[in-house]
C-alpha cells in the first residue's frame, strides 16, 4: 500500500516535471508563434494584437500556472492554429493512435507466444541456430525501416495495399484496421522478436530446473511439461516485458504514422512543433508521458501479482 | 567447434538471403503491366474527385486570416470578391455585375448582381459588402490590402450596388478589391465554418486528413460539373505520389520532374509555372553584397541553364528580374540574358571589387521546400568555380520567417517570392527603400522614383507599364539579387478529367473541371 502511494506520487511529480520542461523548452525555441501564424504579410500591429490575444505577452510563469490549472480541470486550451479546442482535436487523433497501438500489441502477442514456445522447444541444433539468427535479425530492424520496406515492396511493388490510402475509423472501422495491418506489423515484428528471445531463454532456463527432471522421471510427456509446468514459470519475465512494450509501442506508433501517413497523434505532434502550436504540443507530450508512466506502473503491478516472491522482496 | 562454424555459415547465408531479397525488391520498378486498370475501367464515375494536396489547411479558414498559399489555393473555390481573376489574369465581375471607374480614378461603382446568395442561403446585399470591406480593413493579415483599404474614404449604397470613393487614386485598387472576399455580415464562425458566394461550398475539414467541398447549387454563374471535391492531405511526398500512382487521386498539382517521370498510371501531365521568382536574395546591408560589382559577379558566375538541367531536367523559366512570365504585360525575357554564364568575367569583377581571391558567406535556406534546397545546392557548387565559398545553412520555415524575413539577419537566402494580388506592385513595392518588407535593404533612388512614377495615377496605363518595366530593368542592371527562375509546375490529371487551367496565381479552379 505504501509503495503504491509512493508510485502515485512519483507519477504526479514526473508529469509535473515533464510539462514544466516542455513549457520551458518552447519558450527557448526561436520563432514567435504570432509570426508563424500570420505569415510574412502581416502588419506589426496585427502580430502584437495576436500575441496579446494568445496571452504571449505575459510572463512565462503566469502562463504556465494558467495552463497547469486548466489542464488539471481537464481544459487543454485552444490550438493557436486551428482555433479549436485541443481536447476536441485530440479525441479523433487519439482513437487512431490507440487503434494502431492496440493492433500492434495484439500482433506482438500473437507472434511472440507461439514462436517463443516453439523456439524454446526446438531440439535440433541446426534449426535452433537458424531460429536464433532469424530472431536476431528481426530484432535489430528498426520499425520505421520495416515500414518503409513494407511500403515499397508490399505496397508499391506487390500492390497488397496502397500506402497513404488511409481510411478513418469513423468512415470504415474494418477498412481502417485493414490499413493498419502493415504499420502494426512493422512495429510488432521487432518487439515480438525480442519477446521470443526472452521467452526462449526463459524456457531453456526452466527446462534445466529440478522440477522438470522430477516430472520427466515421473514419465510426464515433454509436451505436458512444457505447456503445463515450464511455461507458467517461464512466462513471468515475458509478461513484464510485454507490459513495458505497451509504452514503447505507443512511441513507435508516432514514428510509424509518418511512414504510412496515418493522421494520428504523432503526425499532429510533429506538425504542431514546427508550427509552434504550443497548446497542442504540451497536451500531447504530457499525455504521452502520462501513458508511459502509467504503463510502467502497470507492469510493476503485474509482476507483483504474478510472482509472490517479488512482493516479499 | 564444427557446429559453431556451421552455425556461422548459416547465419551468413540467411542474412545475405535477406539482404539480397531486399535489394532485388526495392530499387527496380516492379510495376505490373496492367497499371491502367484502376483509371480506365471507370466510365460511370460519379462527378466527384479526390485531389491530393501536400499540406494541411492548418490555419484559420477566415478569408481575412488565411496566410498559407495552400489554404488560399483551396478556398479560392469558396470565396469571391466583387470581381475575381480569371485564368488569363483578367479581373472579371463576380458578386458585382460589372464595374465602372470614374475618370479621376476616385470613384468605383459596382452594381450588385441579382440573385447572388451565400452558401447559408441568405441573399447578398449592400450591407454584406459594406461589412466585408470594413472587416477586411480592420482584420486582414495582408498588410498590402490593409494599406490599400485605408485609402477608402467612403462606401455607400447607390447605382444598384456599391459606390466606393477613394481619398487618392490607386491604379491597383481593383485588384485589391478582388481580394476582399464578400462574406455575410451575420456569418458566425468563418475561421472554422467559412461561408462565401463561390461555386463550391465548404462542407468539412478533418485535421491532417481532408477538406471537403461540394457544389453550391445556388451559385449564380455556370454550375460546376463536379459535385464534390475531396482534398486529401499527404504531408509526405512519397505517400502522395504512391496514392497518385495507384489511381486513388484524380488530380495532383505541384509535382516535381522526378515524380512526373516515375508516374506510370497513364495520367495526363500538364506543365505550367509556379508563378514565383526564385532568386538568391542578397542582403545589401551586409558586405560584400553592398557592392554592385560583387553582385554582378555572382550573376555571371551562376549558370541558370545548367542549374535547370540538373535540378529539373531543363524545365522552368529563367527570369532576370522580380517578375514572373505569367505577368505577360511586364515580364521581359531579355532581362534573363543580361548576365550570361562567364566565369572569367565574374572573376575579373570580383578582383575589381577588391575580392581577387573570392570570399565566403552563409546562404540561409528554408528547409521545407525541396526545389529551393536543390537549387541552393547546385548554386553553392557553381559559385566555387569563381572562388566564392557559400556555406549552405538550412533552417526551419518559422525560423526563416523570423530571422531572415522579419529580422533581416542574414547574408543571402534562396526562396521564391510570389504575388498574392494580380498587380505589379505586389512584386515590386517591396524593393522601395523604406518599404517595411524590403528584406534585402535595397536602396536605390532611381528605383524609388521609377516605382513612384508607376504608382502615380496621372500617368496612362502605357506609361505606368513602362515605369514598371523600368523598375525591373533597374533591378536587373544593379543585380539587386541573383535572379534564377520561375519553377515548372506539373499537374497530373486522371485521363478522363478535363478542363484544368493554370492561373497566374497560386489557385486551382475546380469549377472548370469535368469528366469526359
Amino acid at each position: 500500500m505504501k509503495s503504491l502511494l509512493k508510485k502515485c506520487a512519483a507519477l504526479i511529480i514526473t508529469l509535473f516535471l515533464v510539462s514544466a520542461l516542455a513549457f520551458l523548452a518552447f519558450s527557448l525555441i526561436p520563432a514567435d508563434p504570432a509570426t508563424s501564424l500570420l505569415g510574412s504579410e502581416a502588419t506589426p500591429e496585427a502580430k502584437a494584437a495576436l500575441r496579446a490575444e494568445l496571452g504571449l505577452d505575459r510572463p512565462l510563469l503566469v502562463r504556465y500556472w494558467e495552463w497547469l490549472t486548466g489542464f488539471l480541470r481537464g481544459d487543454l486550451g485552444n490550438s493557436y492554429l486551428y482555433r479549436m479546442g485541443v481536447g476536441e482535436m485530440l479525441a479523433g487523433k487519439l482513437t487512431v493512435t490507440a487503434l494502431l497501438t492496440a493492433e500492434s500489441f495484439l500482433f506482438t502477442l500473437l507472434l511472440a507466444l507461439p514462436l517463443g514456445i516453439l523456439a524454446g522447444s526446438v531440439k535440433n541444433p541446426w534449426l535452433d541456430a537458424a531460429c536464433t539468427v532469424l530472431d536476431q535479425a528481426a530484432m535489430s530492424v528498426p520499425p520505421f525501416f520495416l515500414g518503409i520496406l513494407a511500403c515499397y515492396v508490399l505496397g508499391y511493388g506487390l500492390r497488397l495495399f496502397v500506402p497513404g490510402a488511409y481510411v478513418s475509423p469513423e468512415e470504415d472501422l474494418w477498412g481502417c484496421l485493414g490499413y493498419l495491418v502493415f504499420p502494426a506489423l512493422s512495429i510488432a515484428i521487432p518487439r515480438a522478436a525480442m519477446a521470443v528471445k526472452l521467452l526462449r531463454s526463459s524456457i531453456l532456463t526452466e527446462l534445466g530446473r529440478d522440477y522438470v527432471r522430477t516430472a520427466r522421471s515421473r514419465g510426464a510427456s515433454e509436451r505436458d511439461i512444457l505447456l503445463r509446468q515450464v511455461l507458467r514459470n517461464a512466462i513471468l519475465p515475458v509478461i513484464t516485458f510485454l507490459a513495458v512494450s505497451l509504452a514503447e509501442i505507443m512511441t513507435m506508433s508516432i514514428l510509424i504514422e509518418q511512414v504510412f501517413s496515418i493522421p494520428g497523434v504523432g503526425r499532429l505532434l510533429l506538425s504542431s512543433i514546427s508550427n509552434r502550436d504550443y497548446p497542442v504540443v504540451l497536451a500531447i507530450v504530457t499525455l504521452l508521458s502520462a501513458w508511459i508512466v502509467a504503463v510502467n506502473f502497470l507492469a510493476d503491478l503485474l509482476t507483483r501479482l504474478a510472482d509472490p516472491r517479488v512482493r516479499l522482496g | 567447434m564444427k557446429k559453431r562454424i556451421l552455425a556461422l555459415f548459416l547465419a551468413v547465408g540467411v542474412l545475405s538471403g535477406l539482404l539480397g531479397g531486399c535489394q532485388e525488391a526495392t530499387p527496380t520498378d516492379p510495376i505490373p503491366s496492367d497499371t491502367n486498370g484502376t483509371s480506365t475501367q471507370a466510365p460511370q464515375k460519379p462527378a466527384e474527385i479526390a485531389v491530393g494536396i501536400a499540406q494541411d489547411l492548418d490555419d484559420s479558414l477566415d478569408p481575412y486570416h488565411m496566410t498559407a498559399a495552400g489554404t488560399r489555393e483551396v478556398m479560392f473555390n469558396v470565396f469571391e470578391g466583387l470581381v475575381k481573376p480569371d485564368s488569363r489574369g483578367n479581373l472579371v465581375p463576380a458578386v458585382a455585375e460589372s464595374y465602372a471607374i470614374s475618370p479621376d480614378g476616385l470613384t468605383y461603382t459596382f452594381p450588385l448582381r441579382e440573385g447572388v446568395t451565400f452558401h447559408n442561403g441568405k441573399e447578398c446585399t449592400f450591407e454584406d459588402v459594406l461589412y466585408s470591406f470594413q472587416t477586411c480593413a480592420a482584420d486582414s493579415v495582408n498588410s498590402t490590402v490593409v494599406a490599400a483599404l485605408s485609402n477608402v474614404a467612403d462606401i455607400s449604397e447607390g447605382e444598384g450596388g456599391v459606390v466606393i470613393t477613394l481619398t487618392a487614386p490607386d491604379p491597383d485598387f481593383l485588384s485589391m478589391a478582388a481580394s476582399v472576399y464578400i462574406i455575410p455580415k451575420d456569418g458566425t464562425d468563418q475561421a472554422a465554418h467559412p461561408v462565401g458566394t463561390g461555386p463550391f461550398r465548404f462542407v468539412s475539414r478533418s485535421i491532417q486528413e481532408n477538406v471537403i467541398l461540394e457544389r453550391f447549387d445556388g451559385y449564380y454563374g455556370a454550375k460546376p460539373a463536379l459535385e464534390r471535391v475531396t482534398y486529401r492531405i499527404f504531408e509526405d511526398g512519397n505517400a502522395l505520389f504512391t496514392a497518385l500512382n495507384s489511381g486513388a487521386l484524380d488530380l495532383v498539382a505541384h509535382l516535381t520532374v522526378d515524380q512526373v517521370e516515375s508516374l506510370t498510371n497513364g495520367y495526363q501531365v500538364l506543365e505550367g509555372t509556379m508563378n514565383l521568382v526564385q532568386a538568391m536574395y542578397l542582403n545589401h546591408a551586409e558586405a560584400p553584397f553592398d557592392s554592385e560589382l560583387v553582385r554582378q559577379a555572382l550573376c555571371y558566375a551562376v549558370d541558370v541553364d545548367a542549374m535547370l538541367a540538373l535540378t529539373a531536367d531543363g524545365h522552368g523559366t529563367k527570369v532576370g528580374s522580380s517578375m514572373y512570365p505569367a505577368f505577360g504585360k511586364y515580364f521581359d525575357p531579355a532581362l534573363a540574358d543580361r548576365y550570361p554564364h562567364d566565369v572569367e568575367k565574374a572573376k575579373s569583377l570580383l578582383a575589381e571589387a577588391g575580392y581577387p581571391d573570392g570570399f565566403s558567406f552563409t546562404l540561409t535556406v528554408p528547409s521545407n521546400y525541396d526545389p529551393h534546397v536543390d537549387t541552393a545546392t547546385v548554386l553553392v557548387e557553381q559559385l566555387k568555380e569563381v572562388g566564392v565559398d557559400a556555406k549552405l545553412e538550412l533552417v526551419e520555415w518559422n525560423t526563416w520567417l523570423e530571422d531572415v524575413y522579419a529580422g533581416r539577419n542574414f547574408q543571402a537566402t534562396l526562396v521564391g517570392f510570389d504575388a498574392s494580388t494580380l498587380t505589379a506592385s505586389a512584386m515590386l513595392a517591396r524593393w522601395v527603400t523604406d518599404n517595411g518588407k524590403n528584406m534585402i535593404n535595397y536602396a536605390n533612388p532611381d528605383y524609388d522614383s521609377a516605382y513612384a512614377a508607376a504608382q502615380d495615377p496621372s500617368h496612362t496605363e502605357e506609361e505606368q507599364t513602362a515605369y514598371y518595366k523600368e523598375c525591373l530593368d533597374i533591378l536587373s542592371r544593379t543585380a539587386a539579387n541573383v535572379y534564377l527562375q520561375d519553377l515548372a509546375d506539373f499537374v497530373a490529371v486522371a485521363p478522363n478529367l478535363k478542363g484544368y487551367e493554370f492561373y497566374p496565381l497560386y489557385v486551382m479552379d475546380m469549377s472548370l473541371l469535368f469528366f469526359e
Side-chain angles (χ1 to χ4, degrees):
Chain A
M1 191 60 209
K2 207 172 166 190
S3 72
L4 197 75
L5 276 178
K6 244 192 212 163
K7 284 270 168 196
C8 284
L11 192 143
I12 291 166
I13 292 171
T14 313
L15 288 186
F16 179 75
L17 281 178
V18 165
S19 69
L21 279 176
F23 212 93
L24 189 71
F26 298 139
S27 62
L28 296 178
I29 309 181
D32 152 44
T35 314
S36 132
L37 286 171
L38 294 181
S40 53
E41 298 296 302
T43 56
E45 296 81 46
K47 283 187 202 166
L50 183 69
R51 240 174 257 134
E53 189 193 328
L54 299 175
L56 290 170
D57 50 351
R58 289 170 313 144
L60 189 69
L61 269 177
V62 176
R63 282 190 282 142
Y64 179 60
W65 177 251
E66 278 176 9
W67 177 83
L68 191 68
T69 48
F71 188 85
L72 293 177
R73 281 196 314 271
D75 172 14
L76 301 183
N78 278 312
S79 157
Y80 292 171
L81 219 55
Y82 296 92
R83 296 303 177 97
M84 59 195 280
V86 175
E88 188 191 341
M89 275 170 69
L90 278 182
K93 305 287 157 198
L94 275 173
T95 322
V96 179
T97 306
L99 278 179
L100 178 55
T101 307
E103 201 168 327
S104 310
F105 188 65
L106 186 74
F107 284 150
T108 311
L109 283 183
L110 289 180
L111 287 171
L113 296 181
L115 289 178
I117 295 168
L118 216 63
S121 55
V122 164
K123 291 282 186 290
N124 184 328
W126 290 88
L127 203 59
D128 190 45
C131 286
T132 311
V133 167
L134 247 175
D135 195 50
Q136 200 72 36
M139 212 160 83
S140 38
V141 191
F144 70 86
F145 180 72
L146 272 183
I148 294 169
L149 212 62
C151 277
Y152 276 87
V153 180
L154 304 178
Y156 199 50
L158 301 173
R159 310 209 151 211
L160 295 182
F161 73 109
V162 179
Y166 164 84
V167 249
S168 73
E170 292 90 43
E171 227 173 286
D172 173 6
L173 181 63
W174 290 110
C176 177
L177 288 174
Y179 183 75
L180 294 180
V181 164
F182 293 108
L185 276 176
S186 310
I187 298 174
I189 288 173
R191 277 276 117 186
M194 284 179 221
V196 165
K197 188 182 156 120
L198 195 65
L199 189 54
R200 176 183 170 274
S201 68
S202 174
I203 286 175
L204 290 181
T205 318
E206 291 294 327
L207 278 176
R209 286 194 197 280
D210 290 346
Y211 72 91
V212 175
R213 207 167 26 177
T214 319
R216 279 197 185 123
S217 66
R218 266 191 277 145
S221 76
E222 279 297 309
R223 201 186 129 91
D224 268 9
I225 295 173
L226 186 68
L227 294 182
R228 297 226 173 139
Q229 311 200 18
V230 168
L231 198 59
R232 271 178 58 183
N233 294 319
I235 203 128
L236 280 178
V238 182
I239 289 178
T240 322
F241 173 82
L242 286 174
V244 177
S245 284
L246 264 179
E248 182 92 351
I249 285 174
M250 176 76 125
T251 44
M252 278 303 162
S253 308
I254 288 176
L255 270 180
I256 284 295
E257 279 172 16
Q258 311 301 317
V259 177
F260 288 88
S261 313
I262 300 164
V265 172
R267 283 271 296 285
L268 188 62
L269 176 65
L270 289 194
S271 70
S272 302
I273 291 175
S274 63
N275 289 322
R276 306 288 186 264
D277 198 351
Y278 300 153
V280 180
V281 181
L282 267 175
I284 296 178
V285 167
T286 313
L287 290 176
L288 273 182
S289 43
W291 169 256
I292 291 169
V293 175
V295 159
N296 279 312
F297 183 58
L298 179 87
D300 237 37
L301 219 62
L302 270 179
T303 320
R304 275 153 205 269
L305 285 176
D307 191 345
R309 279 169 306 177
V310 182
R311 216 179 312 174
L312 286 175
Chain B
M1 189 60 212
K2 209 175 175 187
K3 267 186 200 163
R4 270 199 203 153
I5 292 172
L6 275 171
L8 193 73
F9 267 109
L10 209 68
V12 174
V14 169
L15 266 181
S16 58
L18 268 177
L19 292 175
C22 305
Q23 273 164 3
E24 241 165 75
T26 35
T28 49
D29 204 4
I31 305 300
S33 52
D34 65 337
T35 42
N36 284 334
T38 40
S39 47
T40 47
Q41 71 188 14
Q44 240 57 65
K45 207 163 179 177
E48 56 178 73
I49 60 167
V51 180
I53 53 177
Q55 70 288 311
D56 191 14
L57 270 63
D58 60 0
D59 48 356
S60 169
L61 300 180
D62 183 311
Y64 312 133
H65 287 164
M66 295 185 292
T67 49
T71 306
R72 283 188 269 133
E73 178 179 47
V74 172
M75 299 309 283
F76 174 80
N77 296 289
V78 174
F79 293 117
E80 286 180 334
L82 290 170
V83 291
K84 69 191 263 186
D86 69 6
S87 61
R88 284 176 302 283
N90 304 314
L91 293 169
V92 296
V95 173
E97 193 176 31
S98 61
Y99 61 86
I101 307 169
S102 68
D104 61 1
L106 286 175
T107 311
Y108 285 69
T109 312
F110 299 97
L112 290 185
R113 196 186 289 271
E114 291 270 318
V116 174
T117 48
F118 290 108
H119 301 151
N120 62 9
K122 297 219 174 82
E123 198 182 331
C124 174
T125 64
F126 167 75
E127 296 299 321
D128 298 309
V129 177
L130 179 66
Y131 169 82
S132 302
F133 271 82
Q134 284 169 346
T135 314
C136 183
D139 251 21
S140 175
V141 293
N142 188 326
S143 53
T144 316
V145 174
V146 172
L149 291 181
S150 68
N151 180 29
V152 171
D154 179 57
I155 302 177
S156 60
E157 193 168 6
E159 316 257 348
V162 187
V163 179
I164 299 177
T165 319
L166 305 182
T167 36
D170 175 2
D172 295 335
F173 185 75
L174 199 62
S175 300
M176 297 299 166
S179 49
V180 180
Y181 288 138
I182 305 301
I183 56 174
K185 66 173 185 298
D186 47 2
T188 42
D189 183 16
Q190 289 282 350
H193 303 284
V195 173
T197 61
F200 287 89
R201 65 184 183 85
F202 174 85
V203 178
S204 68
R205 83 162 155 184
S206 183
I207 292 168
Q208 295 180 335
E209 287 179 46
N210 59 49
V211 175
I212 299 173
L213 305 184
E214 262 175 15
R215 179 167 74 195
F216 174 44
D217 289 322
Y219 188 57
Y220 61 85
K223 302 266 181 303
L226 298 178
E227 282 162 18
R228 189 180 167 93
V229 180
T230 304
Y231 292 88
R232 297 194 39 214
I233 296 151
F234 294 87
E235 283 169 310
D236 175 72
N238 284 327
L240 175 65
F241 178 77
T242 346
L244 169 67
N245 207 22
S246 73
L249 300 171
D250 301 290
L251 172 69
V252 177
H254 319 313
L255 294 168
T256 63
V257 176
D258 289 342
Q259 287 174 317
V260 166
E261 280 169 359
S262 11
L263 202 64
T264 53
N265 63 0
Y267 274 31
Q268 332 159 48
V269 175
L270 314 172
E271 183 179 350
T273 50
M274 290 290 280
N275 301 321
L276 51 80
V277 172
Q278 187 196 52
M280 179 164 74
Y281 292 93
L282 305 169
N283 189 349
H284 294 218
E286 294 262 334
F289 302 127
D290 52 349
S291 155
E292 191 173 304
L293 291 173
V294 169
R295 299 196 303 264
Q296 287 172 335
L298 295 186
C299 290
Y300 280 116
V302 170
D303 183 352
V304 183
D305 289 312
M307 175 181 291
L308 295 186
L310 261 172
T311 56
D313 253 3
H315 295 274
T317 313
K318 287 199 283 179
V319 297
S321 192
S322 279
M323 192 58 67
Y324 54 79
F327 274 110
K329 197 167 153 191
Y330 311 111
F331 182 73
D332 181 1
L335 294 181
D337 299 322
R338 176 169 253 144
Y339 301 100
H341 181 54
D342 188 340
V343 173
E344 289 317 309
K345 179 112 188 190
K347 280 183 177 162
S348 70
L349 280 171
L350 279 177
E352 195 184 328
Y355 297 95
D357 304 319
F359 58 91
S360 62
F361 69 97
T362 306
L363 175 59
T364 314
V365 180
S367 59
N368 61 336
Y369 191 53
D370 288 341
H372 291 332
V373 179
D374 293 348
T375 306
T377 313
V378 177
L379 194 92
V380 167
E381 290 307 313
Q382 293 188 342
L383 291 178
K384 275 185 189 152
E385 270 186 76
V386 297
V388 172
D389 177 28
K391 196 164 78 53
L392 187 57
E393 187 188 43
L394 297 183
V395 295
E396 227 190 335
W397 172 243
N398 285 312
T399 311
W400 186 89
L401 266 183
E402 183 147 311
D403 288 354
V404 177
Y405 190 77
R408 301 188 191 179
N409 181 20
F410 72 106
Q411 284 187 291
T413 183
L414 196 146
V415 288
F417 276 115
D418 66 350
S420 59
T421 57
L422 269 176
T423 57
S425 61
M427 296 303 293
L428 297 177
R430 64 171 75 247
W431 309 131
V432 172
T433 307
D434 57 359
N435 190 289
K437 290 183 285 189
N438 186 352
M439 174 183 88
I440 62 164
N441 299 301
Y442 187 63
N444 185 333
D446 293 345
Y447 183 83
D448 295 353
S449 60
Y451 182 76
Q455 289 279 298
D456 184 344
S458 65
H459 290 123
T460 63
E461 205 181 319
E462 286 74 40
E463 288 168 331
Q464 189 197 26
T465 306
Y467 279 119
Y468 279 136
K469 283 192 160 176
E470 191 185 327
C471 287
L472 291 170
D473 188 58
I474 294 172
L475 290 175
S476 158
R477 206 162 60 215
T478 58
N481 300 294
V482 181
Y483 288 106
L484 303 171
Q485 59 159 330
D486 184 0
L487 293 157
D489 181 17
F490 293 97
V491 181
V493 189
N496 49 350
L497 187 62
K498 305 287 178 201
Y500 187 89
E501 283 188 30
F502 286 96
Y503 269 64
L505 287 169
Y506 196 83
V507 299
M508 272 197 266
D509 189 346
M510 293 299 152
S511 67
L512 302 175
L513 296 174
F514 59 93
F515 277 110
E516 208 173 53

